Every structure is written in C-alpha cells, then in structure tokens.
PDB file of all heavy atoms in Angstrom:
ATOM      1  N   LEU A   1       0.832  -1.204   0.000  1.00 35.00           N
ATOM      2  CA  LEU A   1       0.000   0.000   0.000  1.00 35.00           C
ATOM      3  C   LEU A   1       0.866   1.254   0.000  1.00 35.00           C
ATOM      4  O   LEU A   1       0.602   2.212  -0.722  1.00 35.00           O
ATOM      5  CB  LEU A   1      -0.916   0.000   1.228  1.00 35.00           C
ATOM      6  CG  LEU A   1      -1.766   1.267   1.439  1.00 35.00           C
ATOM      7  CD1 LEU A   1      -2.682   1.487   0.247  1.00 35.00           C
ATOM      8  CD2 LEU A   1      -2.557   1.177   2.724  1.00 35.00           C
ATOM      9  N   LEU A   2       1.945   1.247   0.800  1.00 35.00           N
ATOM     10  CA  LEU A   2       2.836   2.407   0.850  1.00 35.00           C
ATOM     11  C   LEU A   2       3.503   2.663  -0.481  1.00 35.00           C
ATOM     12  O   LEU A   2       3.647   3.802  -0.928  1.00 35.00           O
ATOM     13  CB  LEU A   2       3.903   2.200   1.937  1.00 35.00           C
ATOM     14  CG  LEU A   2       3.426   2.340   3.387  1.00 35.00           C
ATOM     15  CD1 LEU A   2       4.522   1.931   4.351  1.00 35.00           C
ATOM     16  CD2 LEU A   2       3.006   3.773   3.657  1.00 35.00           C
ATOM     17  N   ILE A   3       3.907   1.596  -1.171  1.00 33.00           N
ATOM     18  CA  ILE A   3       4.512   1.751  -2.495  1.00 33.00           C
ATOM     19  C   ILE A   3       3.518   2.360  -3.460  1.00 33.00           C
ATOM     20  O   ILE A   3       3.839   3.263  -4.235  1.00 33.00           O
ATOM     21  CB  ILE A   3       5.004   0.380  -3.034  1.00 33.00           C
ATOM     22  CG1 ILE A   3       6.190  -0.099  -2.194  1.00 33.00           C
ATOM     23  CG2 ILE A   3       5.389   0.492  -4.504  1.00 33.00           C
ATOM     24  CD1 ILE A   3       6.695  -1.473  -2.575  1.00 33.00           C
ATOM     25  N   ALA A   4       2.266   1.896  -3.396  1.00 39.00           N
ATOM     26  CA  ALA A   4       1.227   2.416  -4.290  1.00 39.00           C
ATOM     27  C   ALA A   4       0.975   3.895  -4.016  1.00 39.00           C
ATOM     28  O   ALA A   4       0.828   4.692  -4.941  1.00 39.00           O
ATOM     29  CB  ALA A   4      -0.070   1.624  -4.099  1.00 39.00           C
ATOM     30  N   LEU A   5       0.942   4.258  -2.730  1.00 39.00           N
ATOM     31  CA  LEU A   5       0.719   5.655  -2.386  1.00 39.00           C
ATOM     32  C   LEU A   5       1.878   6.526  -2.837  1.00 39.00           C
ATOM     33  O   LEU A   5       1.688   7.607  -3.390  1.00 39.00           O
ATOM     34  CB  LEU A   5       0.546   5.809  -0.873  1.00 39.00           C
ATOM     35  CG  LEU A   5      -0.807   5.410  -0.300  1.00 39.00           C
ATOM     36  CD1 LEU A   5      -0.758   5.449   1.221  1.00 39.00           C
ATOM     37  CD2 LEU A   5      -1.891   6.330  -0.817  1.00 39.00           C
ATOM     38  N   MET A   6       3.117   6.045  -2.642  1.00 38.00           N
ATOM     39  CA  MET A   6       4.287   6.819  -3.062  1.00 38.00           C
ATOM     40  C   MET A   6       4.296   7.014  -4.562  1.00 38.00           C
ATOM     41  O   MET A   6       4.618   8.083  -5.071  1.00 38.00           O
ATOM     42  CB  MET A   6       5.571   6.106  -2.612  1.00 38.00           C
ATOM     43  CG  MET A   6       5.795   6.152  -1.107  1.00 38.00           C
ATOM     44  SD  MET A   6       7.143   5.100  -0.563  1.00 38.00           S
ATOM     45  CE  MET A   6       8.517   5.888  -1.378  1.00 38.00           C
ATOM     46  N   SER A   7       3.880   5.984  -5.287  1.00 39.00           N
ATOM     47  CA  SER A   7       3.804   6.088  -6.748  1.00 39.00           C
ATOM     48  C   SER A   7       2.756   7.103  -7.162  1.00 39.00           C
ATOM     49  O   SER A   7       2.961   7.896  -8.085  1.00 39.00           O
ATOM     50  CB  SER A   7       3.459   4.715  -7.341  1.00 39.00           C
ATOM     51  OG  SER A   7       3.242   4.825  -8.727  1.00 39.00           O
ATOM     52  N   SER A   8       1.613   7.084  -6.475  1.00 42.00           N
ATOM     53  CA  SER A   8       0.532   8.008  -6.806  1.00 42.00           C
ATOM     54  C   SER A   8       0.922   9.444  -6.526  1.00 42.00           C
ATOM     55  O   SER A   8       0.668  10.340  -7.329  1.00 42.00           O
ATOM     56  CB  SER A   8      -0.715   7.642  -6.001  1.00 42.00           C
ATOM     57  OG  SER A   8      -1.738   8.580  -6.204  1.00 42.00           O
ATOM     58  N   PHE A   9       1.597   9.694  -5.378  1.00 40.00           N
ATOM     59  CA  PHE A   9       1.909  11.061  -4.994  1.00 40.00           C
ATOM     60  C   PHE A   9       3.157  11.587  -5.679  1.00 40.00           C
ATOM     61  O   PHE A   9       3.349  12.783  -5.788  1.00 40.00           O
ATOM     62  CB  PHE A   9       2.083  11.177  -3.474  1.00 40.00           C
ATOM     63  CG  PHE A   9       0.817  10.918  -2.716  1.00 40.00           C
ATOM     64  CD1 PHE A   9       0.766   9.962  -1.719  1.00 40.00           C
ATOM     65  CD2 PHE A   9      -0.332  11.628  -3.007  1.00 40.00           C
ATOM     66  CE1 PHE A   9      -0.405   9.733  -1.021  1.00 40.00           C
ATOM     67  CE2 PHE A   9      -1.508  11.410  -2.303  1.00 40.00           C
ATOM     68  CZ  PHE A   9      -1.540  10.448  -1.313  1.00 40.00           C
ATOM     69  N   SER A  10       4.054  10.711  -6.159  1.00 39.00           N
ATOM     70  CA  SER A  10       5.291  11.174  -6.763  1.00 39.00           C
ATOM     71  C   SER A  10       5.050  11.992  -8.013  1.00 39.00           C
ATOM     72  O   SER A  10       5.844  12.836  -8.386  1.00 39.00           O
ATOM     73  CB  SER A  10       6.192   9.976  -7.107  1.00 39.00           C
ATOM     74  OG  SER A  10       5.589   9.187  -8.118  1.00 39.00           O
ATOM     75  N   MET A  11       3.917  11.769  -8.688  1.00 41.00           N
ATOM     76  CA  MET A  11       3.633  12.487  -9.929  1.00 41.00           C
ATOM     77  C   MET A  11       3.162  13.905  -9.674  1.00 41.00           C
ATOM     78  O   MET A  11       3.123  14.727 -10.579  1.00 41.00           O
ATOM     79  CB  MET A  11       2.560  11.750 -10.729  1.00 41.00           C
ATOM     80  CG  MET A  11       1.197  11.735 -10.057  1.00 41.00           C
ATOM     81  SD  MET A  11       0.020  10.779 -11.011  1.00 41.00           S
ATOM     82  CE  MET A  11      -1.475  11.071 -10.094  1.00 41.00           C
ATOM     83  N   ILE A  12       2.824  14.251  -8.422  1.00 42.00           N
ATOM     84  CA  ILE A  12       2.158  15.512  -8.158  1.00 42.00           C
ATOM     85  C   ILE A  12       3.086  16.712  -8.302  1.00 42.00           C
ATOM     86  O   ILE A  12       2.720  17.723  -8.860  1.00 42.00           O
ATOM     87  CB  ILE A  12       1.539  15.491  -6.741  1.00 42.00           C
ATOM     88  CG1 ILE A  12       0.426  14.453  -6.690  1.00 42.00           C
ATOM     89  CG2 ILE A  12       0.994  16.854  -6.351  1.00 42.00           C
ATOM     90  CD1 ILE A  12      -0.094  14.187  -5.311  1.00 42.00           C
ATOM     91  N   ALA A  13       4.332  16.609  -7.809  1.00 44.00           N
ATOM     92  CA  ALA A  13       5.186  17.781  -7.727  1.00 44.00           C
ATOM     93  C   ALA A  13       6.089  17.965  -8.946  1.00 44.00           C
ATOM     94  O   ALA A  13       6.810  18.947  -9.023  1.00 44.00           O
ATOM     95  CB  ALA A  13       6.029  17.682  -6.466  1.00 44.00           C
ATOM     96  N   GLN A  14       6.095  17.044  -9.881  1.00 50.00           N
ATOM     97  CA  GLN A  14       6.972  17.121 -11.040  1.00 50.00           C
ATOM     98  C   GLN A  14       6.505  18.171 -12.027  1.00 50.00           C
ATOM     99  O   GLN A  14       5.442  18.751 -11.899  1.00 50.00           O
ATOM    100  CB  GLN A  14       7.020  15.750 -11.741  1.00 50.00           C
ATOM    101  CG  GLN A  14       7.581  14.650 -10.855  1.00 50.00           C
ATOM    102  CD  GLN A  14       7.466  13.286 -11.504  1.00 50.00           C
ATOM    103  OE1 GLN A  14       6.982  13.157 -12.626  1.00 50.00           O
ATOM    104  NE2 GLN A  14       7.911  12.268 -10.808  1.00 50.00           N
ATOM    105  N   SER A  15       7.343  18.431 -13.042  1.00 55.00           N
ATOM    106  CA  SER A  15       6.978  19.364 -14.094  1.00 55.00           C
ATOM    107  C   SER A  15       7.471  18.804 -15.407  1.00 55.00           C
ATOM    108  O   SER A  15       8.607  18.343 -15.500  1.00 55.00           O
ATOM    109  CB  SER A  15       7.597  20.737 -13.824  1.00 55.00           C
ATOM    110  OG  SER A  15       7.247  21.630 -14.854  1.00 55.00           O
ATOM    111  N   GLY A  16       6.631  18.805 -16.446  1.00 82.00           N
ATOM    112  CA  GLY A  16       7.043  18.258 -17.731  1.00 82.00           C
ATOM    113  C   GLY A  16       5.873  18.107 -18.665  1.00 82.00           C
ATOM    114  O   GLY A  16       4.884  18.825 -18.560  1.00 82.00           O
ATOM    115  N   ASN A  17       5.974  17.158 -19.607  1.00 91.00           N
ATOM    116  CA  ASN A  17       4.922  16.935 -20.590  1.00 91.00           C
ATOM    117  C   ASN A  17       4.060  15.733 -20.226  1.00 91.00           C
ATOM    118  O   ASN A  17       4.538  14.784 -19.605  1.00 91.00           O
ATOM    119  CB  ASN A  17       5.531  16.696 -21.965  1.00 91.00           C
ATOM    120  CG  ASN A  17       6.240  17.924 -22.494  1.00 91.00           C
ATOM    121  OD1 ASN A  17       5.890  19.040 -22.140  1.00 91.00           O
ATOM    122  ND2 ASN A  17       7.250  17.726 -23.328  1.00 91.00           N
ATOM    123  N   PHE A  18       2.816  15.781 -20.628  1.00 94.00           N
ATOM    124  CA  PHE A  18       1.953  14.611 -20.540  1.00 94.00           C
ATOM    125  C   PHE A  18       1.414  14.322 -21.934  1.00 94.00           C
ATOM    126  O   PHE A  18       1.388  15.194 -22.802  1.00 94.00           O
ATOM    127  CB  PHE A  18       0.792  14.824 -19.551  1.00 94.00           C
ATOM    128  CG  PHE A  18      -0.297  15.724 -20.081  1.00 94.00           C
ATOM    129  CD1 PHE A  18      -1.404  15.192 -20.737  1.00 94.00           C
ATOM    130  CD2 PHE A  18      -0.226  17.100 -19.925  1.00 94.00           C
ATOM    131  CE1 PHE A  18      -2.409  16.013 -21.233  1.00 94.00           C
ATOM    132  CE2 PHE A  18      -1.224  17.932 -20.405  1.00 94.00           C
ATOM    133  CZ  PHE A  18      -2.319  17.384 -21.072  1.00 94.00           C
ATOM    134  N   THR A  19       0.975  13.085 -22.127  1.00 96.00           N
ATOM    135  CA  THR A  19       0.398  12.678 -23.405  1.00 96.00           C
ATOM    136  C   THR A  19      -0.986  12.092 -23.170  1.00 96.00           C
ATOM    137  O   THR A  19      -1.190  11.317 -22.241  1.00 96.00           O
ATOM    138  CB  THR A  19       1.282  11.622 -24.104  1.00 96.00           C
ATOM    139  OG1 THR A  19       2.557  12.194 -24.387  1.00 96.00           O
ATOM    140  CG2 THR A  19       0.653  11.159 -25.415  1.00 96.00           C
ATOM    141  N   VAL A  20      -1.947  12.499 -24.005  1.00 97.00           N
ATOM    142  CA  VAL A  20      -3.274  11.907 -23.971  1.00 97.00           C
ATOM    143  C   VAL A  20      -3.590  11.392 -25.374  1.00 97.00           C
ATOM    144  O   VAL A  20      -3.302  12.059 -26.370  1.00 97.00           O
ATOM    145  CB  VAL A  20      -4.349  12.919 -23.496  1.00 97.00           C
ATOM    146  CG1 VAL A  20      -4.399  14.148 -24.389  1.00 97.00           C
ATOM    147  CG2 VAL A  20      -5.710  12.261 -23.408  1.00 97.00           C
ATOM    148  N   SER A  21      -4.155  10.201 -25.438  1.00 97.00           N
ATOM    149  CA  SER A  21      -4.489   9.607 -26.731  1.00 97.00           C
ATOM    150  C   SER A  21      -5.766   8.807 -26.589  1.00 97.00           C
ATOM    151  O   SER A  21      -6.264   8.591 -25.487  1.00 97.00           O
ATOM    152  CB  SER A  21      -3.346   8.708 -27.223  1.00 97.00           C
ATOM    153  OG  SER A  21      -3.117   7.647 -26.301  1.00 97.00           O
ATOM    154  N   GLY A  22      -6.312   8.366 -27.713  1.00 96.00           N
ATOM    155  CA  GLY A  22      -7.525   7.565 -27.651  1.00 96.00           C
ATOM    156  C   GLY A  22      -7.943   7.028 -28.996  1.00 96.00           C
ATOM    157  O   GLY A  22      -7.578   7.571 -30.043  1.00 96.00           O
ATOM    158  N   LYS A  23      -8.667   5.938 -28.950  1.00 96.00           N
ATOM    159  CA  LYS A  23      -9.322   5.349 -30.119  1.00 96.00           C
ATOM    160  C   LYS A  23     -10.770   5.160 -29.709  1.00 96.00           C
ATOM    161  O   LYS A  23     -11.111   4.266 -28.936  1.00 96.00           O
ATOM    162  CB  LYS A  23      -8.663   4.012 -30.486  1.00 96.00           C
ATOM    163  CG  LYS A  23      -9.401   3.231 -31.559  1.00 96.00           C
ATOM    164  CD  LYS A  23      -9.250   3.853 -32.937  1.00 96.00           C
ATOM    165  CE  LYS A  23      -9.856   2.949 -34.014  1.00 96.00           C
ATOM    166  NZ  LYS A  23      -9.790   3.550 -35.364  1.00 96.00           N
ATOM    167  N   ILE A  24     -11.657   6.039 -30.204  1.00 96.00           N
ATOM    168  CA  ILE A  24     -13.026   6.110 -29.712  1.00 96.00           C
ATOM    169  C   ILE A  24     -14.007   5.837 -30.846  1.00 96.00           C
ATOM    170  O   ILE A  24     -14.062   6.583 -31.835  1.00 96.00           O
ATOM    171  CB  ILE A  24     -13.329   7.502 -29.116  1.00 96.00           C
ATOM    172  CG1 ILE A  24     -12.222   7.945 -28.147  1.00 96.00           C
ATOM    173  CG2 ILE A  24     -14.693   7.500 -28.445  1.00 96.00           C
ATOM    174  CD1 ILE A  24     -12.101   7.111 -26.911  1.00 96.00           C
ATOM    175  N   LYS A  25     -14.775   4.790 -30.692  1.00 97.00           N
ATOM    176  CA  LYS A  25     -15.807   4.482 -31.686  1.00 97.00           C
ATOM    177  C   LYS A  25     -16.826   5.619 -31.751  1.00 97.00           C
ATOM    178  O   LYS A  25     -17.338   6.082 -30.737  1.00 97.00           O
ATOM    179  CB  LYS A  25     -16.510   3.180 -31.308  1.00 97.00           C
ATOM    180  CG  LYS A  25     -17.553   2.727 -32.314  1.00 97.00           C
ATOM    181  CD  LYS A  25     -18.212   1.428 -31.873  1.00 97.00           C
ATOM    182  CE  LYS A  25     -19.285   0.991 -32.844  1.00 97.00           C
ATOM    183  NZ  LYS A  25     -19.966  -0.249 -32.388  1.00 97.00           N
ATOM    184  N   GLY A  26     -17.099   6.095 -32.960  1.00 96.00           N
ATOM    185  CA  GLY A  26     -18.087   7.160 -33.140  1.00 96.00           C
ATOM    186  C   GLY A  26     -17.515   8.562 -33.028  1.00 96.00           C
ATOM    187  O   GLY A  26     -18.256   9.543 -33.121  1.00 96.00           O
ATOM    188  N   LEU A  27     -16.201   8.697 -32.850  1.00 97.00           N
ATOM    189  CA  LEU A  27     -15.572  10.012 -32.777  1.00 97.00           C
ATOM    190  C   LEU A  27     -15.367  10.518 -34.204  1.00 97.00           C
ATOM    191  O   LEU A  27     -14.368  10.233 -34.846  1.00 97.00           O
ATOM    192  CB  LEU A  27     -14.243   9.932 -32.035  1.00 97.00           C
ATOM    193  CG  LEU A  27     -13.472  11.256 -31.858  1.00 97.00           C
ATOM    194  CD1 LEU A  27     -14.314  12.297 -31.147  1.00 97.00           C
ATOM    195  CD2 LEU A  27     -12.169  11.019 -31.108  1.00 97.00           C
ATOM    196  N   ASP A  28     -16.333  11.280 -34.706  1.00 95.00           N
ATOM    197  CA  ASP A  28     -16.318  11.672 -36.111  1.00 95.00           C
ATOM    198  C   ASP A  28     -16.113  13.176 -36.321  1.00 95.00           C
ATOM    199  O   ASP A  28     -16.420  13.713 -37.386  1.00 95.00           O
ATOM    200  CB  ASP A  28     -17.615  11.236 -36.804  1.00 95.00           C
ATOM    201  CG  ASP A  28     -18.868  11.694 -36.060  1.00 95.00           C
ATOM    202  OD1 ASP A  28     -18.743  12.543 -35.149  1.00 95.00           O
ATOM    203  OD2 ASP A  28     -19.964  11.200 -36.389  1.00 95.00           O
ATOM    204  N   SER A  29     -15.593  13.870 -35.309  1.00 96.00           N
ATOM    205  CA  SER A  29     -15.290  15.290 -35.475  1.00 96.00           C
ATOM    206  C   SER A  29     -13.882  15.459 -36.050  1.00 96.00           C
ATOM    207  O   SER A  29     -13.077  14.515 -36.052  1.00 96.00           O
ATOM    208  CB  SER A  29     -15.391  16.027 -34.136  1.00 96.00           C
ATOM    209  OG  SER A  29     -14.520  15.451 -33.186  1.00 96.00           O
ATOM    210  N   GLU A  30     -13.568  16.664 -36.518  1.00 96.00           N
ATOM    211  CA  GLU A  30     -12.257  16.933 -37.087  1.00 96.00           C
ATOM    212  C   GLU A  30     -11.215  17.238 -36.012  1.00 96.00           C
ATOM    213  O   GLU A  30     -10.017  17.014 -36.227  1.00 96.00           O
ATOM    214  CB  GLU A  30     -12.336  18.112 -38.061  1.00 96.00           C
ATOM    215  CG  GLU A  30     -13.183  17.818 -39.301  1.00 96.00           C
ATOM    216  CD  GLU A  30     -13.192  18.989 -40.264  1.00 96.00           C
ATOM    217  OE1 GLU A  30     -12.521  20.019 -39.977  1.00 96.00           O
ATOM    218  OE2 GLU A  30     -13.863  18.893 -41.307  1.00 96.00           O
ATOM    219  N   TYR A  31     -11.656  17.780 -34.905  1.00 96.00           N
ATOM    220  CA  TYR A  31     -10.712  18.114 -33.838  1.00 96.00           C
ATOM    221  C   TYR A  31     -11.435  18.111 -32.495  1.00 96.00           C
ATOM    222  O   TYR A  31     -12.660  18.210 -32.423  1.00 96.00           O
ATOM    223  CB  TYR A  31     -10.057  19.481 -34.085  1.00 96.00           C
ATOM    224  CG  TYR A  31     -11.002  20.645 -33.939  1.00 96.00           C
ATOM    225  CD1 TYR A  31     -11.088  21.349 -32.737  1.00 96.00           C
ATOM    226  CD2 TYR A  31     -11.825  21.041 -34.995  1.00 96.00           C
ATOM    227  CE1 TYR A  31     -11.958  22.413 -32.589  1.00 96.00           C
ATOM    228  CE2 TYR A  31     -12.715  22.111 -34.847  1.00 96.00           C
ATOM    229  CZ  TYR A  31     -12.760  22.790 -33.652  1.00 96.00           C
ATOM    230  OH  TYR A  31     -13.633  23.837 -33.511  1.00 96.00           O
ATOM    231  N   LEU A  32     -10.667  18.005 -31.423  1.00 97.00           N
ATOM    232  CA  LEU A  32     -11.151  18.087 -30.056  1.00 97.00           C
ATOM    233  C   LEU A  32     -10.695  19.416 -29.458  1.00 97.00           C
ATOM    234  O   LEU A  32      -9.643  19.947 -29.840  1.00 97.00           O
ATOM    235  CB  LEU A  32     -10.592  16.945 -29.199  1.00 97.00           C
ATOM    236  CG  LEU A  32     -10.702  15.520 -29.749  1.00 97.00           C
ATOM    237  CD1 LEU A  32      -9.954  14.556 -28.830  1.00 97.00           C
ATOM    238  CD2 LEU A  32     -12.155  15.115 -29.884  1.00 97.00           C
ATOM    239  N   SER A  33     -11.458  19.940 -28.509  1.00 96.00           N
ATOM    240  CA  SER A  33     -11.067  21.157 -27.791  1.00 96.00           C
ATOM    241  C   SER A  33     -10.699  20.771 -26.363  1.00 96.00           C
ATOM    242  O   SER A  33     -11.527  20.253 -25.615  1.00 96.00           O
ATOM    243  CB  SER A  33     -12.213  22.175 -27.773  1.00 96.00           C
ATOM    244  OG  SER A  33     -12.543  22.579 -29.086  1.00 96.00           O
ATOM    245  N   MET A  34      -9.439  21.005 -26.005  1.00 96.00           N
ATOM    246  CA  MET A  34      -8.937  20.587 -24.693  1.00 96.00           C
ATOM    247  C   MET A  34      -8.655  21.799 -23.815  1.00 96.00           C
ATOM    248  O   MET A  34      -8.050  22.771 -24.252  1.00 96.00           O
ATOM    249  CB  MET A  34      -7.654  19.771 -24.849  1.00 96.00           C
ATOM    250  CG  MET A  34      -7.081  19.275 -23.521  1.00 96.00           C
ATOM    251  SD  MET A  34      -5.626  18.210 -23.732  1.00 96.00           S
ATOM    252  CE  MET A  34      -4.388  19.452 -24.117  1.00 96.00           C
ATOM    253  N   TYR A  35      -9.114  21.723 -22.560  1.00 93.00           N
ATOM    254  CA  TYR A  35      -8.879  22.786 -21.588  1.00 93.00           C
ATOM    255  C   TYR A  35      -8.141  22.198 -20.387  1.00 93.00           C
ATOM    256  O   TYR A  35      -8.608  21.243 -19.763  1.00 93.00           O
ATOM    257  CB  TYR A  35     -10.190  23.403 -21.129  1.00 93.00           C
ATOM    258  CG  TYR A  35     -10.905  24.188 -22.203  1.00 93.00           C
ATOM    259  CD1 TYR A  35     -11.700  23.546 -23.143  1.00 93.00           C
ATOM    260  CD2 TYR A  35     -10.762  25.579 -22.290  1.00 93.00           C
ATOM    261  CE1 TYR A  35     -12.350  24.264 -24.153  1.00 93.00           C
ATOM    262  CE2 TYR A  35     -11.415  26.299 -23.276  1.00 93.00           C
ATOM    263  CZ  TYR A  35     -12.207  25.640 -24.210  1.00 93.00           C
ATOM    264  OH  TYR A  35     -12.841  26.355 -25.194  1.00 93.00           O
ATOM    265  N   ILE A  36      -6.983  22.783 -20.071  1.00 92.00           N
ATOM    266  CA  ILE A  36      -6.218  22.404 -18.887  1.00 92.00           C
ATOM    267  C   ILE A  36      -6.485  23.452 -17.815  1.00 92.00           C
ATOM    268  O   ILE A  36      -6.252  24.649 -18.031  1.00 92.00           O
ATOM    269  CB  ILE A  36      -4.710  22.340 -19.175  1.00 92.00           C
ATOM    270  CG1 ILE A  36      -4.434  21.383 -20.344  1.00 92.00           C
ATOM    271  CG2 ILE A  36      -3.939  21.893 -17.936  1.00 92.00           C
ATOM    272  CD1 ILE A  36      -2.983  21.393 -20.805  1.00 92.00           C
ATOM    273  N   TYR A  37      -7.009  23.035 -16.673  1.00 88.00           N
ATOM    274  CA  TYR A  37      -7.399  23.977 -15.627  1.00 88.00           C
ATOM    275  C   TYR A  37      -6.318  24.056 -14.545  1.00 88.00           C
ATOM    276  O   TYR A  37      -6.052  23.088 -13.837  1.00 88.00           O
ATOM    277  CB  TYR A  37      -8.733  23.569 -15.015  1.00 88.00           C
ATOM    278  CG  TYR A  37      -9.874  23.733 -15.989  1.00 88.00           C
ATOM    279  CD1 TYR A  37     -10.306  22.671 -16.784  1.00 88.00           C
ATOM    280  CD2 TYR A  37     -10.492  24.964 -16.148  1.00 88.00           C
ATOM    281  CE1 TYR A  37     -11.341  22.838 -17.706  1.00 88.00           C
ATOM    282  CE2 TYR A  37     -11.529  25.134 -17.061  1.00 88.00           C
ATOM    283  CZ  TYR A  37     -11.934  24.068 -17.833  1.00 88.00           C
ATOM    284  OH  TYR A  37     -12.950  24.235 -18.745  1.00 88.00           O
ATOM    285  N   ASP A  38      -5.685  25.216 -14.478  1.00 82.00           N
ATOM    286  CA  ASP A  38      -4.642  25.448 -13.487  1.00 82.00           C
ATOM    287  C   ASP A  38      -4.547  26.947 -13.228  1.00 82.00           C
ATOM    288  O   ASP A  38      -4.584  27.747 -14.162  1.00 82.00           O
ATOM    289  CB  ASP A  38      -3.287  24.915 -13.971  1.00 82.00           C
ATOM    290  CG  ASP A  38      -2.244  24.939 -12.860  1.00 82.00           C
ATOM    291  OD1 ASP A  38      -1.640  26.009 -12.649  1.00 82.00           O
ATOM    292  OD2 ASP A  38      -2.025  23.907 -12.211  1.00 82.00           O
ATOM    293  N   GLU A  39      -4.422  27.332 -11.970  1.00 75.00           N
ATOM    294  CA  GLU A  39      -4.401  28.751 -11.615  1.00 75.00           C
ATOM    295  C   GLU A  39      -3.171  29.486 -12.144  1.00 75.00           C
ATOM    296  O   GLU A  39      -3.138  30.717 -12.183  1.00 75.00           O
ATOM    297  CB  GLU A  39      -4.469  28.916 -10.090  1.00 75.00           C
ATOM    298  CG  GLU A  39      -5.834  28.615  -9.506  1.00 75.00           C
ATOM    299  CD  GLU A  39      -5.919  28.969  -8.033  1.00 75.00           C
ATOM    300  OE1 GLU A  39      -4.875  29.339  -7.454  1.00 75.00           O
ATOM    301  OE2 GLU A  39      -7.013  28.879  -7.466  1.00 75.00           O
ATOM    302  N   SER A  40      -2.138  28.744 -12.560  1.00 76.00           N
ATOM    303  CA  SER A  40      -0.936  29.400 -13.083  1.00 76.00           C
ATOM    304  C   SER A  40      -1.175  30.011 -14.459  1.00 76.00           C
ATOM    305  O   SER A  40      -0.414  30.871 -14.901  1.00 76.00           O
ATOM    306  CB  SER A  40       0.227  28.405 -13.158  1.00 76.00           C
ATOM    307  OG  SER A  40      -0.061  27.354 -14.080  1.00 76.00           O
ATOM    308  N   PHE A  41      -2.251  29.574 -15.143  1.00 78.00           N
ATOM    309  CA  PHE A  41      -2.585  30.152 -16.442  1.00 78.00           C
ATOM    310  C   PHE A  41      -3.361  31.456 -16.235  1.00 78.00           C
ATOM    311  O   PHE A  41      -4.085  31.607 -15.254  1.00 78.00           O
ATOM    312  CB  PHE A  41      -3.404  29.174 -17.286  1.00 78.00           C
ATOM    313  CG  PHE A  41      -2.693  27.876 -17.554  1.00 78.00           C
ATOM    314  CD1 PHE A  41      -3.318  26.665 -17.315  1.00 78.00           C
ATOM    315  CD2 PHE A  41      -1.399  27.861 -18.040  1.00 78.00           C
ATOM    316  CE1 PHE A  41      -2.668  25.463 -17.555  1.00 78.00           C
ATOM    317  CE2 PHE A  41      -0.736  26.666 -18.286  1.00 78.00           C
ATOM    318  CZ  PHE A  41      -1.366  25.468 -18.043  1.00 78.00           C
TER     319      PHE A  41
END
C-alpha cells in the first residue's frame, strides 16, 4: 500500500509533458477542444 501511495503522490510535484491519446468508436469530429485547468494560467 505504501509503495502504491508513493507512486501516486510522486507524480504531483513534477513538471514536464503529458500525453493523452484515444481510439473512440463514433468520434467523427475533425478536432477536439482541450482545456487544462490550473491557476498558473
């Protein structure tokens, strides 16, 4: 449990890039609109 918690919390303070991807049945639009919510913006 402690290892799982450390793994979960270790991602919180870092800084860098993330990747999001998907293969969605019925996704027939040309583009998606993504909003990242953070007070630093």
Side-chain angles (χ1 to χ4, degrees):
L1 175 60
L2 286 172
I3 292 176
L5 282 173
M6 289 171 64
S7 174
S8 175
F9 294 125
S10 66
M11 66 183 185
I12 294 171
Q14 298 173 1
S15 179
N17 294 333
F18 75 93
T19 298
V20 58
S21 61
K23 172 73 173 177
I24 312 294
K25 183 180 178 182
L27 181 57
D28 52 13
S29 58
E30 294 182 1
Y31 69 96
L32 311 174
S33 298
M34 181 176 76
Y35 292 82
I36 304 173
Y37 292 94
D38 189 277
E39 287 188 354
S40 64
F41 300 130

